[in-house]
Amino acid sequence: MSIRDEILRLKAEKNAIIMAHNYQRPEVQDIADFLGDSFALARKAIETDADVIVFCGVDFMAEAAAILNPDKIVVHANGESRCPMAAMVDLEKLREMKKEYPNAKVVAYVNTTAKTKAESDVCCTSANAVRIVERIDSNEVIFMPDRHLREYVQSQVPDKKVILWPGYCYAHEEITPKLITNLKKAHPKAEVMIHPECSMETIALADHVFSTGGMVRYAGESEAKEFIVGTEEGMAYRLKTLYPEKTFYPVEQSICHNMKRIHLEDVLRALETLEPVVKVPEDIAERAKKPLELMLELGRSD
Ligand code: SF4
């Protein structure tokens, strides 16, 4: 039996669902029941009636699924798949910052650990960050941990003070203005979609600034036939699969090696052993759930 068939057999036997982020390897994307960005995955996690969620994404995403689904078994396909940006938050420094800005609300990008979320007022993803900062009932926010997303949000919500935390995503920092300019020269008819974790200099070259979920929607709706995909390279595979009649040019230098730690063998092992189960201590989970739920409420479009 092929590894793929064995995964499908075990999935049915254990009433499991495989959820995967858009940056996963093509073979992992192909086996997933649900693919999406962090926001879509968080929403889907609460809708599923499966008993087991096998999560193919980095640690904070699996944690969020576990927090939102205390009654389900959430298994991380590879416990070593961790987001370095989420690890750029020092909780002591955050507490000091909260004292320094007593009126500020803490907006934690979903790319944070459960412990960071537990210290925050609301979460956001790249899909809803602007909307969340607009809607949160405070004129000052501490926005963490991505400095580029903070700068983009500040440019879109100029009436509020959006305070910097100096984290970054190495995969998106690889997407330099020079690389995008070269791609534009090579493909002059292509529309340029850029993720807001990129620098403002790179964003300045974009026709559209989108989360990966936004890219999926827009590429389907647009009349354009060619797109430059300014985010982690796995996204281009997702778009090609969805819209085979269109052409997508990835930035090949942008690779999240942490996402790519998950292979089909890991998915199979996770289904066989139901390990490692993602466990968030109850008190942390309870506190981290509130900003996640507030995100789901504030982040809805009208
Ligand atoms: S792409 Fe960047 S933010 Fe996303 S998991 Fe990888 S390092 Fe973290």
Side-chain angles (χ1 to χ4, degrees):
M1 194 184 273
S2 72
I3 188 166
R4 202 187 143 81
D5 289 343
E6 186 60 7
I7 287 172
L8 294 176
R9 186 188 72 73
L10 283 166
K11 206 165 60 102
E13 185 185 300
K14 304 203 175 177
N15 188 26
I17 184 174
I18 299 172
M19 296 179 62
H21 190 267
N22 291 323
Y23 299 159
Q24 289 294 303
R25 293 174 178 279
E27 61 274 23
V28 175
Q29 293 195 25
D30 289 346
I31 201 93
D33 297 290
F34 185 78
L35 271 162
D37 61 11
S38 315
F39 186 55
L41 291 169
R43 287 178 68 165
K44 189 71 185 174
I46 41 179
E47 283 165 15
T48 180
D49 53 10
D51 297 321
V52 175
I53 298 173
V54 174
F55 207 96
C56 303
V58 287
D59 51 351
F60 70 81
M61 296 177 179
E63 272 187 349
I67 290 165
L68 293 168
N69 285 282
D71 302 332
K72 295 197 171 80
I73 300 171
V74 177
V75 184
H76 194 185
N78 182 339
E80 297 301 311
S81 176
R82 301 195 185 107
C83 171
M85 181 162 75
M88 288 176 188
V89 176
D90 174 329
L91 289 181
E92 274 314 307
K93 275 202 190 126
L94 174 58
R95 288 180 195 123
E96 278 168 29
M97 215 167 177
K98 283 162 82 167
K99 280 188 201 145
E100 196 182 335
Y101 298 99
N103 298 322
K105 292 269 166 86
V106 178
V107 180
Y109 195 20
V110 76
N111 304 31
T112 47
T113 63
K115 282 185 181 163
T116 303
K117 290 185 178 78
E119 296 277 342
S120 307
D121 295 292
V122 63
C123 290
C124 73
T125 68
S126 51
N128 61 27
V130 169
R131 194 178 302 142
I132 297 281
V133 171
E134 276 170 349
R135 290 181 179 177
I136 189 91
D137 57 344
S138 170
N139 287 325
E140 275 187 2
V141 301
I142 298 168
F143 190 93
M144 57 193 311
D146 184 29
R147 64 183 177 207
H148 297 307
L149 184 58
R150 180 213 75 91
E151 205 175 348
Y152 176 68
V153 170
Q154 181 70 87
S155 73
Q156 301 299 302
V157 192
D159 296 342
K160 293 198 177 185
K161 181 174 178 169
V162 187
I163 299 157
L164 168 79
W165 187 276
Y168 62 92
C169 163
Y170 70 92
H172 285 90
E173 289 222 330
E174 288 291 336
I175 306 173
T176 58
K178 189 162 188 291
L179 288 177
I180 297 296
T181 304
N182 289 346
L183 280 167
K184 283 173 79 148
K185 275 189 201 145
H187 311 290
K189 289 194 184 139
E191 286 198 42
V192 182
M193 305 189 289
I194 302 282
H195 192 281
E197 281 178 31
C198 295
S199 71
M200 289 302 275
E201 292 75 25
T202 300
I203 285 177
L205 298 168
D207 295 311
H208 310 283
V209 181
F210 287 135
S211 67
T212 56
M215 290 180 187
V216 165
R217 260 189 314 280
Y218 183 76
E221 290 163 7
S222 168
E223 302 274 296
K225 299 273 178 278
E226 295 174 57
F227 301 86
I228 292 164
V229 185
T231 188
E232 206 271 352
E233 59 90 43
M235 186 63 202
Y237 178 79
R238 165 102 162 107
L239 291 165
K240 280 178 200 161
T241 308
L242 284 169
Y243 312 116
E245 72 287 3
K246 300 192 177 188
T247 307
F248 299 93
Y249 306 108
V251 180
E252 283 166 359
Q253 292 82 350
S254 176
I255 301 175
C256 177
H257 299 286
N258 304 72
M259 285 274 188
K260 302 290 199 262
R261 291 189 84 127
I262 296 173
H263 298 259
L264 271 191
E265 288 76 7
D266 296 302
V267 180
L268 177 60
R269 196 176 320 116
L271 277 163
E272 281 168 346
T273 62
L274 297 187
E275 290 284 346
V277 173
V278 183
K279 288 221 185 303
V280 181
E282 220 171 289
D283 57 323
I284 306 248
E286 210 169 292
R287 285 164 56 214
K289 196 173 179 181
K290 286 183 192 144
L292 277 169
E293 285 178 340
L294 186 56
M295 168 183 82
L296 294 172
E297 189 189 318
L298 291 180
R300 278 183 211 288
S301 40
D302 294 322

